[in-house]
Amino acid sequence: MKKLLFYLICVSLLSSCGKNEKQTLLSPMIIGNVDDSKLVINDSFPIGDVRRYGVYPNTIIAGSYLKAILEFSSGGSELYFPEGYYPINLSLVGLSNISIYFDHAILGGGLSIIDKANESSSTIAIKGNLKVLDKIFIRNSNNIYFQNVTVASDTVKNLYKNKNRGVSIYSGARYLKFEKLLIQDTGGDSLKFYTHIAAALQVHGWNNNPEYISIDELEIENAGRTALYLTGNNHLLKKVTIRNFGLGSPKNMFGLEDSNPGDETEFSGAWINKCNNCVIDSLSIKNSMHKGDYSIHFGIGQYSKPSFINNVQFLEHAIKMPLKDDPLTNILVKKVY
């Protein structure tokens, strides 16, 4: 805790450098009346309702057919998933101008938004309330909006019968907005299933780090490894709450491209590394299970582009935990409360 006093020095002189540019997301262009006759199975449902195309809760659907539905919706009507459990993976690959509304729907697999043959996925809105039981993965995509997303564990309904693999925002991701993101019980034992999972939320990507990630409310609870790993530029996280981390194992882990070898095996509540001109307005770290190595890990960054934590709070065992910092860190803490 004493080390945090160092990061309070000269904050008033540098605070003007920590302001993010205003982020503006583009909305999907929706045409509306489109010809979906080749996909219709039950025309009693309106255009865009996935039941119209034979996608119902508790029904296995071929990935190739889901791909056709998603491609049809590009620039077309908003897709609607009614409440229920869908034992599917949903992959948006090189697609743009898609809006999907989840009415308290649950995906047994994952949600991926990635590029295809150097063509980004772009201008995508994930609305409503969505629960994902495996992982969310985003790469080389931009202008992505999420309203209310939960990544949770259910080893019965999960397609792989394992805990979830959290959220990975990877290389080339830009202009992402989450209103609320809740990540619970992310796995992290010695299974190869978790080889690439270093944190419940990991924002990373060698020499092409994500930019302009905005999260109004982030909660991470019971992370198997590090809770939050943040790299990149011009991020804004308004309210971050972390409860328990480091509950898993460092065995069979791959390293992180942006970090020193071995650092990924030392679990932290929040690990901020190569993060330039980023702001976390409020960060609360609670550790009631006495696991993990560090409350916070401050990595390197560009001194001319400082990152700020405006308010930080430590609760229970997190108060006694050490802080790890690099001599070349650019992170400044304004207030401990």
Side-chain angles (χ1 to χ4, degrees):
M1 287 295 292
K2 291 181 179 179
K3 280 191 176 182
L4 282 175
L5 295 176
F6 171 78
Y7 300 99
L8 296 173
I9 300 174
C10 298
V11 168
S12 60
L13 297 176
L14 293 168
S15 60
S16 61
C17 301
K19 296 180 180 179
N20 295 63
E21 297 177 23
K22 186 177 181 180
Q23 302 178 33
T24 303
L25 293 183
L26 300 175
S27 298
M29 293 184 294
I30 303 301
I31 297 173
N33 295 325
V34 293
D35 183 8
D36 63 352
S37 58
K38 292 182 178 180
L39 295 171
V40 174
I41 293 177
N42 187 339
D43 62 7
S44 66
F45 295 102
I47 292 176
D49 190 317
V50 295
R51 293 170 294 186
R52 180 179 177 90
Y53 315 117
V55 179
Y56 293 90
N58 304 303
T59 303
I60 297 175
I61 303 296
S64 58
Y65 186 62
L66 285 171
K67 178 183 176 183
I69 294 172
L70 291 170
E71 289 177 347
F72 145 77
S73 70
S74 180
S77 297
E78 181 175 84
L79 288 181
Y80 171 74
F81 281 78
E83 184 174 1
Y85 165 70
Y86 296 83
I88 61 174
N89 288 296
L90 209 57
S91 298
L92 286 72
V93 183
L95 297 176
S96 298
N97 291 304
I98 290 179
S99 181
I100 307 176
Y101 188 91
F102 292 95
D103 190 0
H104 295 91
I106 302 171
L107 298 183
L111 170 65
S112 59
I113 303 175
I114 61 176
D115 57 316
K116 179 182 180 182
N118 296 320
E119 183 176 350
S120 300
S121 288
S122 177
T123 322
I124 294 166
I126 305 298
K127 302 178 183 178
N129 296 279
L130 170 65
K131 181 180 286 188
V132 176
L133 299 185
D134 183 31
K135 66 177 180 179
I136 295 176
F137 180 69
I138 302 168
R139 182 191 69 203
N140 286 331
S141 299
N142 59 81
N143 280 285
I144 315 296
Y145 167 80
F146 297 87
Q147 187 170 7
N148 190 356
V149 179
T150 297
V151 179
S153 287
D154 184 329
T155 56
V156 175
K157 291 184 176 181
N158 179 291
L159 294 183
Y160 310 102
K161 306 305 177 186
N162 282 311
K163 288 186 175 183
N164 76 76
R165 289 183 283 183
V167 177
S168 181
I169 301 173
Y170 191 52
S171 179
R174 290 176 175 83
Y175 295 101
L176 273 60
K177 164 76 173 182
F178 290 84
E179 288 195 13
K180 185 172 183 178
L181 175 59
L182 171 62
I183 307 173
Q184 297 175 309
D185 302 312
T186 298
D189 59 27
S190 59
L191 292 175
K192 290 184 178 179
F193 189 71
Y194 303 108
T195 292
H196 299 283
I197 307 305
L201 172 58
Q202 49 190 39
V203 181
H204 59 128
W206 178 252
N207 284 337
N208 193 14
N209 298 72
E211 296 184 321
Y212 296 100
I213 309 301
S214 174
I215 306 177
D216 287 348
E217 188 173 352
L218 169 64
E219 293 185 31
I220 302 174
E221 186 172 9
N222 299 336
R225 290 169 175 164
T226 289
L228 170 64
Y229 178 67
L230 187 66
T231 75
N233 304 294
N234 302 298
H235 305 322
L236 174 60
L237 282 61
K238 293 183 179 178
K239 182 180 180 182
V240 180
T241 304
I242 294 169
R243 305 183 191 93
N244 299 316
F245 52 92
L247 308 183
S249 166
K251 293 182 180 180
N252 293 323
M253 284 181 66
F254 273 10
L256 286 161
E257 298 160 328
D258 299 291
S259 67
N260 296 321
D263 278 2
E264 74 282 352
T265 65
E266 299 174 338
F267 302 143
S268 303
W271 179 6
I272 306 169
N273 183 45
K274 291 187 178 180
C275 204
N276 303 306
N277 195 30
C278 299
V279 175
I280 299 177
D281 186 57
S282 174
L283 171 61
S284 175
I285 300 176
K286 179 179 180 180
N287 187 346
S288 59
M289 295 188 179
H290 294 242
K291 299 291 185 178
D293 299 288
Y294 303 104
S295 57
I296 289 183
H297 181 174
F298 291 151
I300 64 174
Q302 296 181 36
Y303 186 75
S304 61
K305 298 179 180 179
S307 291
F308 291 83
I309 301 175
N310 291 336
N311 302 278
V312 64
Q313 177 188 51
F314 299 94
L315 298 171
E316 299 192 11
H317 182 63
I319 298 174
K320 301 177 182 179
M321 296 184 74
L323 175 153
K324 183 174 182 178
D325 63 304
D326 190 283
L328 299 179
T329 191
N330 66 337
I331 302 163
L332 298 165
V333 177
K334 289 188 176 182
K335 180 180 178 182
V336 180
Y337 70 101

